[in-house]
Amino acid sequence: MTMDTILTALAIVLSVVSVALSGWFSIRTARLSHKLADERAEREEAQSALKAAERVYEPLAQSAAELQSRIFNIVESGWVPLMKRYESHGDYASVSTAFLFAHYFGWIEARRQAVLSSSGEGGRDLSVQKLIDGVLKTLRRSEDSEGFLFFTTEQRAIGELMLEWETISKQRIPKVMGYAKFVERYRGDESFRQWFTPVDAGMGLVSKGDVRRLVDIQRALVALIEELDPKRKYTAGYTLEPIDLTQ
């Protein structure tokens, strides 16, 4: 075998090895790029879900503030003054109170659906979830009485009934039923009306001076609002003080 033949053979071998290595590196690079793209997409999806949750913080804080404000007024004013205040408006006290509970449940459900694809761990949303759970557990607690008692699945169901999604500029926006539509359905749909019998039971207890559950609910709501809106950007017009029955 001549030197030229040997050199030609080596050149062929080196060329084959070079092609093989190049192909291997190309495949490895492609796999790595694909993996990095997947990881980036997962991070973006998680961030998107968390941002979606944060977009409902404002209306959620406002709905919680409205509910705790109503509870505060019921507890502080007492039953007789409450009835005198609204006596010219028929069943307004019960209906509007039912709406405030339902409106809160609607925004809770909007937030839940917004973060379905995100763990939310390690951030602000985890703190928010713990406080939401605190309100939920207070509302479902059954050892005190049946008044204002909403079990977990009932809270979820009412939230689902209150919530719709609109698509604006290819973005899904949550929309929770307003008061006018709520009143129409509350008075015209008996199956819808049945979801709010805990409010009727609760108002009956209030008439007897039993406000224990309301006080606990209000305190839990205030704690949630302080986390959702620490700078009071969305709830500046509300007095946010836990009710103190000892005073």
Side-chain angles (χ1 to χ4, degrees):
M1 182 179 293
T2 65
M3 182 59 68
D4 289 341
T5 303
I6 293 173
L7 291 175
T8 300
L10 285 174
I12 294 172
V13 171
L14 289 174
S15 178
V16 171
V17 171
S18 177
V19 170
L21 288 173
S22 178
W24 182 79
F25 279 117
S26 295
I27 294 172
R28 182 174 175 81
T29 300
R31 288 176 177 173
L32 181 59
S33 297
H34 184 69
K35 181 180 179 181
L36 291 173
D38 286 345
E39 291 176 351
R40 182 170 59 253
E42 289 176 1
R43 288 195 301 270
E44 289 175 352
E45 184 178 3
Q47 286 299 316
S48 176
L50 287 174
K51 287 179 180 178
E54 290 176 352
R55 280 196 293 271
V56 305
Y57 281 176
E58 176 180 350
L60 176 54
Q62 290 174 342
S63 67
E66 290 173 350
L67 178 55
Q68 73 82 32
S69 180
R70 169 58 58 84
I71 293 172
F72 187 92
N73 290 334
I74 291 174
V75 173
E76 291 297 310
S77 64
W79 178 254
V80 174
L82 180 71
M83 290 298 100
K84 285 186 175 296
R85 181 179 179 181
Y86 299 121
E87 63 183 351
S88 62
H89 295 272
D91 60 354
Y92 174 80
S94 295
V95 176
S96 60
T97 300
F99 167 74
L100 292 174
F101 274 100
H103 201 239
Y104 169 77
F105 293 149
W107 283 113
I108 287 293
E109 179 62 17
R111 178 204 160 275
R112 187 190 72 82
Q113 292 189 23
V115 295
L116 279 176
S117 60
S118 170
S119 66
E121 295 178 358
R124 181 187 177 202
D125 202 65
L126 182 59
S127 299
V128 171
Q129 183 60 56
K130 288 180 179 178
L131 292 165
I132 287 174
D133 289 343
V135 179
L136 181 149
K137 290 174 182 177
T138 302
L139 284 162
R140 77 181 184 195
R141 194 176 65 212
S142 59
E143 62 267 24
D144 292 338
S145 64
E146 294 297 312
F148 303 107
L149 169 63
F150 293 93
F151 291 116
T152 301
T153 50
E154 292 175 324
Q155 296 178 44
R156 173 81 62 81
I158 293 171
E160 291 171 350
L161 290 170
M162 294 292 291
L163 177 65
E164 295 179 352
W165 289 90
E166 294 182 330
T167 301
I168 301 176
S169 300
K170 297 182 180 180
Q171 197 170 35
R172 292 178 75 237
I173 306 296
K175 180 181 179 182
V176 174
M177 188 187 302
Y179 184 62
K181 186 175 180 180
F182 175 86
V183 172
E184 180 182 359
R185 190 166 182 188
Y186 182 91
R187 290 176 174 157
D189 185 343
E190 185 59 27
S191 63
F192 181 76
R193 170 77 177 77
Q194 288 299 314
W195 289 107
F196 303 97
T197 53
V199 174
D200 296 332
M203 296 301 259
L205 290 174
V206 171
S207 68
K208 300 174 183 178
D210 185 353
V211 295
R212 290 172 296 168
R213 184 190 295 279
L214 280 180
V215 170
D216 290 341
I217 295 170
Q218 191 264 353
R219 290 171 177 169
L221 287 168
V222 169
L224 172 61
I225 295 164
E226 288 176 346
E227 179 65 29
L228 287 170
D229 187 22
K231 296 182 179 179
R232 303 294 305 277
K233 290 172 59 180
Y234 316 131
T235 56
Y238 297 92
T239 299
L240 299 177
E241 296 180 3
I243 297 172
D244 184 359
L245 292 179
T246 63
Q247 295 182 353

mmCIF file of all heavy atoms in Angstrom, residues 7 33 56 69 75-76 95 109 118 120 148 160-161 168 170 175 177 191-192 198-200 208 214-215 220 245:
data_model
loop_
_atom_site.group_PDB
_atom_site.id
_atom_site.type_symbol
_atom_site.label_atom_id
_atom_site.label_comp_id
_atom_site.label_asym_id
_atom_site.label_seq_id
_atom_site.Cartn_x
_atom_site.Cartn_y
_atom_site.Cartn_z
ATOM 1 N N LEU A 7 -2.886 7.802 2.896
ATOM 2 C CA LEU A 7 -3.386 9.159 3.182
ATOM 3 C C LEU A 7 -4.817 9.332 2.707
ATOM 4 O O LEU A 7 -5.650 9.966 3.378
ATOM 5 C CB LEU A 7 -2.481 10.186 2.498
ATOM 6 C CG LEU A 7 -1.073 10.315 3.083
ATOM 7 C CD1 LEU A 7 -0.233 11.271 2.248
ATOM 8 C CD2 LEU A 7 -1.135 10.803 4.538
ATOM 9 N N SER A 33 -31.831 22.523 22.618
ATOM 10 C CA SER A 33 -32.626 23.704 22.280
ATOM 11 C C SER A 33 -34.107 23.450 22.521
ATOM 12 O O SER A 33 -34.827 24.312 23.031
ATOM 13 C CB SER A 33 -32.395 24.091 20.811
ATOM 14 O OG SER A 33 -31.047 24.443 20.588
ATOM 15 N N VAL A 56 -56.968 39.698 38.939
ATOM 16 C CA VAL A 56 -58.241 39.658 39.655
ATOM 17 C C VAL A 56 -58.081 40.091 41.108
ATOM 18 O O VAL A 56 -59.065 40.118 41.846
ATOM 19 C CB VAL A 56 -58.893 38.250 39.597
ATOM 20 C CG1 VAL A 56 -59.056 37.789 38.171
ATOM 21 C CG2 VAL A 56 -58.117 37.238 40.404
ATOM 22 N N SER A 69 -67.642 45.061 54.833
ATOM 23 C CA SER A 69 -68.280 46.317 55.233
ATOM 24 C C SER A 69 -69.737 46.083 55.604
ATOM 25 O O SER A 69 -70.236 46.627 56.597
ATOM 26 C CB SER A 69 -68.180 47.336 54.093
ATOM 27 O OG SER A 69 -68.797 48.559 54.454
ATOM 28 N N VAL A 75 -73.323 43.979 62.246
ATOM 29 C CA VAL A 75 -72.922 43.700 63.627
ATOM 30 C C VAL A 75 -72.967 44.959 64.474
ATOM 31 O O VAL A 75 -73.463 44.958 65.616
ATOM 32 C CB VAL A 75 -71.510 43.077 63.669
ATOM 33 C CG1 VAL A 75 -71.024 42.939 65.114
ATOM 34 C CG2 VAL A 75 -71.508 41.716 62.984
ATOM 35 N N GLU A 76 -72.453 46.055 63.934
ATOM 36 C CA GLU A 76 -72.354 47.292 64.714
ATOM 37 C C GLU A 76 -73.699 47.976 64.920
ATOM 38 O O GLU A 76 -73.961 48.538 65.982
ATOM 39 C CB GLU A 76 -71.386 48.264 64.023
ATOM 40 C CG GLU A 76 -69.933 47.822 64.054
ATOM 41 C CD GLU A 76 -69.371 47.729 65.465
ATOM 42 O OE1 GLU A 76 -69.526 48.712 66.226
ATOM 43 O OE2 GLU A 76 -68.798 46.688 65.805
ATOM 44 N N VAL A 95 -81.451 40.358 50.262
ATOM 45 C CA VAL A 95 -81.044 40.139 48.870
ATOM 46 C C VAL A 95 -79.658 40.712 48.605
ATOM 47 O O VAL A 95 -78.802 40.059 47.991
ATOM 48 C CB VAL A 95 -82.065 40.766 47.899
ATOM 49 C CG1 VAL A 95 -81.583 40.614 46.451
ATOM 50 C CG2 VAL A 95 -83.421 40.118 48.067
ATOM 51 N N GLU A 109 -63.690 32.293 42.454
ATOM 52 C CA GLU A 109 -63.666 31.292 41.389
ATOM 53 C C GLU A 109 -62.861 31.791 40.188
ATOM 54 O O GLU A 109 -62.138 31.017 39.546
ATOM 55 C CB GLU A 109 -65.093 30.942 40.964
ATOM 56 C CG GLU A 109 -65.193 29.922 39.840
ATOM 57 C CD GLU A 109 -64.603 28.564 40.181
ATOM 58 O OE1 GLU A 109 -64.390 28.276 41.379
ATOM 59 O OE2 GLU A 109 -64.354 27.777 39.238
ATOM 60 N N SER A 118 -50.818 26.938 37.243
ATOM 61 C CA SER A 118 -49.634 27.421 37.955
ATOM 62 C C SER A 118 -49.684 26.989 39.405
ATOM 63 O O SER A 118 -50.727 27.028 40.050
ATOM 64 C CB SER A 118 -49.565 28.949 37.883
ATOM 65 O OG SER A 118 -48.575 29.442 38.755
ATOM 66 N N GLY A 120 -47.952 28.535 41.765
ATOM 67 C CA GLY A 120 -47.948 29.752 42.556
ATOM 68 C C GLY A 120 -47.051 29.695 43.769
ATOM 69 O O GLY A 120 -47.058 30.582 44.598
ATOM 70 N N PHE A 148 -75.268 31.570 57.737
ATOM 71 C CA PHE A 148 -74.137 31.963 56.886
ATOM 72 C C PHE A 148 -73.152 30.794 56.704
ATOM 73 O O PHE A 148 -71.948 31.003 56.614
ATOM 74 C CB PHE A 148 -73.420 33.181 57.463
ATOM 75 C CG PHE A 148 -74.305 34.369 57.655
ATOM 76 C CD1 PHE A 148 -74.707 34.770 58.924
ATOM 77 C CD2 PHE A 148 -74.765 35.085 56.557
ATOM 78 C CE1 PHE A 148 -75.544 35.868 59.101
ATOM 79 C CE2 PHE A 148 -75.600 36.177 56.718
ATOM 80 C CZ PHE A 148 -75.999 36.579 57.999
ATOM 81 N N GLU A 160 -69.177 29.542 40.362
ATOM 82 C CA GLU A 160 -69.326 29.131 38.963
ATOM 83 C C GLU A 160 -70.568 29.764 38.337
ATOM 84 O O GLU A 160 -70.540 30.172 37.163
ATOM 85 C CB GLU A 160 -69.416 27.606 38.878
ATOM 86 C CG GLU A 160 -68.107 26.898 39.232
ATOM 87 C CD GLU A 160 -68.268 25.395 39.352
ATOM 88 O OE1 GLU A 160 -69.430 24.926 39.351
ATOM 89 O OE2 GLU A 160 -67.241 24.693 39.453
ATOM 90 N N LEU A 161 -71.651 29.852 39.108
ATOM 91 C CA LEU A 161 -72.875 30.458 38.599
ATOM 92 C C LEU A 161 -72.706 31.955 38.348
ATOM 93 O O LEU A 161 -73.339 32.523 37.446
ATOM 94 C CB LEU A 161 -74.022 30.240 39.600
ATOM 95 C CG LEU A 161 -74.532 28.810 39.745
ATOM 96 C CD1 LEU A 161 -75.476 28.703 40.935
ATOM 97 C CD2 LEU A 161 -75.247 28.369 38.470
ATOM 98 N N ILE A 168 -61.430 39.339 24.840
ATOM 99 C CA ILE A 168 -61.188 40.678 24.309
ATOM 100 C C ILE A 168 -59.747 40.741 23.818
ATOM 101 O O ILE A 168 -58.815 40.530 24.597
ATOM 102 C CB ILE A 168 -61.427 41.755 25.384
ATOM 103 C CG1 ILE A 168 -62.874 41.680 25.895
ATOM 104 C CG2 ILE A 168 -61.135 43.154 24.823
ATOM 105 C CD1 ILE A 168 -63.186 42.634 27.030
ATOM 106 N N LYS A 170 -58.162 38.641 22.020
ATOM 107 C CA LYS A 170 -57.593 37.305 22.202
ATOM 108 C C LYS A 170 -57.197 37.010 23.652
ATOM 109 O O LYS A 170 -56.452 36.073 23.916
ATOM 110 C CB LYS A 170 -56.379 37.101 21.287
ATOM 111 C CG LYS A 170 -56.713 37.178 19.808
ATOM 112 C CD LYS A 170 -55.474 36.925 18.947
ATOM 113 C CE LYS A 170 -55.810 36.991 17.470
ATOM 114 N NZ LYS A 170 -54.620 36.737 16.621
ATOM 115 N N LYS A 175 -65.679 37.928 34.069
ATOM 116 C CA LYS A 175 -66.783 38.851 34.307
ATOM 117 C C LYS A 175 -67.726 38.208 35.315
ATOM 118 O O LYS A 175 -68.253 37.122 35.071
ATOM 119 C CB LYS A 175 -67.518 39.153 33.000
ATOM 120 C CG LYS A 175 -68.688 40.116 33.168
ATOM 121 C CD LYS A 175 -69.392 40.349 31.843
ATOM 122 C CE LYS A 175 -70.580 41.280 32.008
ATOM 123 N NZ LYS A 175 -71.295 41.474 30.707
ATOM 124 N N MET A 177 -71.212 38.352 37.593
ATOM 125 C CA MET A 177 -72.566 38.890 37.503
ATOM 126 C C MET A 177 -72.758 40.112 38.397
ATOM 127 O O MET A 177 -72.348 40.118 39.566
ATOM 128 C CB MET A 177 -73.570 37.793 37.911
ATOM 129 C CG MET A 177 -75.033 38.146 37.679
ATOM 130 S SD MET A 177 -76.145 36.870 38.374
ATOM 131 C CE MET A 177 -75.605 35.393 37.514
ATOM 132 N N SER A 191 -84.400 27.648 41.853
ATOM 133 C CA SER A 191 -83.219 26.792 42.029
ATOM 134 C C SER A 191 -81.975 27.635 42.330
ATOM 135 O O SER A 191 -81.108 27.215 43.101
ATOM 136 C CB SER A 191 -82.990 25.941 40.770
ATOM 137 O OG SER A 191 -82.717 26.762 39.640
ATOM 138 N N PHE A 192 -81.890 28.803 41.730
ATOM 139 C CA PHE A 192 -80.787 29.728 42.024
ATOM 140 C C PHE A 192 -80.943 30.293 43.433
ATOM 141 O O PHE A 192 -79.986 30.389 44.194
ATOM 142 C CB PHE A 192 -80.787 30.852 40.980
ATOM 143 C CG PHE A 192 -79.674 31.859 41.152
ATOM 144 C CD1 PHE A 192 -78.370 31.552 40.773
ATOM 145 C CD2 PHE A 192 -79.929 33.116 41.676
ATOM 146 C CE1 PHE A 192 -77.334 32.471 40.919
ATOM 147 C CE2 PHE A 192 -78.910 34.047 41.823
ATOM 148 C CZ PHE A 192 -77.610 33.724 41.446
ATOM 149 N N PRO A 198 -78.541 29.858 53.365
ATOM 150 C CA PRO A 198 -77.702 30.161 54.529
ATOM 151 C C PRO A 198 -77.749 31.627 54.940
ATOM 152 O O PRO A 198 -77.567 31.952 56.125
ATOM 153 C CB PRO A 198 -76.296 29.759 54.063
ATOM 154 C CG PRO A 198 -76.526 28.699 53.045
ATOM 155 C CD PRO A 198 -77.755 29.137 52.317
ATOM 156 N N VAL A 199 -77.999 32.522 53.978
ATOM 157 C CA VAL A 199 -78.109 33.945 54.321
ATOM 158 C C VAL A 199 -79.398 34.191 55.103
ATOM 159 O O VAL A 199 -79.401 34.914 56.101
ATOM 160 C CB VAL A 199 -78.071 34.822 53.051
ATOM 161 C CG1 VAL A 199 -78.338 36.285 53.400
ATOM 162 C CG2 VAL A 199 -76.719 34.692 52.356
ATOM 163 N N ASP A 200 -80.495 33.574 54.650
ATOM 164 C CA ASP A 200 -81.763 33.712 55.382
ATOM 165 C C ASP A 200 -81.618 33.192 56.806
ATOM 166 O O ASP A 200 -82.085 33.813 57.764
ATOM 167 C CB ASP A 200 -82.876 32.940 54.656
ATOM 168 C CG ASP A 200 -83.172 33.509 53.286
ATOM 169 O OD1 ASP A 200 -82.957 34.721 53.088
ATOM 170 O OD2 ASP A 200 -83.614 32.744 52.405
ATOM 171 N N LYS A 208 -81.724 37.527 66.504
ATOM 172 C CA LYS A 208 -81.696 37.068 67.901
ATOM 173 C C LYS A 208 -80.427 37.512 68.622
ATOM 174 O O LYS A 208 -80.189 37.137 69.766
ATOM 175 C CB LYS A 208 -81.787 35.540 67.938
ATOM 176 C CG LYS A 208 -83.069 34.990 67.298
ATOM 177 C CD LYS A 208 -83.031 33.474 67.240
ATOM 178 C CE LYS A 208 -84.265 32.930 66.530
ATOM 179 N NZ LYS A 208 -84.241 31.441 66.404
ATOM 180 N N LEU A 214 -70.553 35.858 61.828
ATOM 181 C CA LEU A 214 -70.293 37.065 61.042
ATOM 182 C C LEU A 214 -68.999 37.745 61.467
ATOM 183 O O LEU A 214 -68.223 38.218 60.627
ATOM 184 C CB LEU A 214 -71.459 38.046 61.177
ATOM 185 C CG LEU A 214 -72.699 37.780 60.321
ATOM 186 C CD1 LEU A 214 -73.750 38.848 60.570
ATOM 187 C CD2 LEU A 214 -72.341 37.736 58.847
ATOM 188 N N VAL A 215 -68.772 37.792 62.752
ATOM 189 C CA VAL A 215 -67.545 38.425 63.258
ATOM 190 C C VAL A 215 -66.316 37.670 62.767
ATOM 191 O O VAL A 215 -65.339 38.279 62.308
ATOM 192 C CB VAL A 215 -67.564 38.485 64.801
ATOM 193 C CG1 VAL A 215 -66.193 38.924 65.338
ATOM 194 C CG2 VAL A 215 -68.646 39.446 65.273
ATOM 195 N N ALA A 220 -61.593 37.344 59.015
ATOM 196 C CA ALA A 220 -60.850 36.606 57.987
ATOM 197 C C ALA A 220 -60.772 37.406 56.689
ATOM 198 O O ALA A 220 -59.743 37.404 56.002
ATOM 199 C CB ALA A 220 -61.507 35.250 57.739
ATOM 200 N N LEU A 245 -65.768 42.567 69.712
ATOM 201 C CA LEU A 245 -67.013 42.507 70.485
ATOM 202 C C LEU A 245 -66.801 42.860 71.948
ATOM 203 O O LEU A 245 -67.785 43.008 72.694
ATOM 204 C CB LEU A 245 -67.623 41.108 70.387
ATOM 205 C CG LEU A 245 -68.158 40.711 69.002
ATOM 206 C CD1 LEU A 245 -68.709 39.291 69.049
ATOM 207 C CD2 LEU A 245 -69.230 41.672 68.520
#
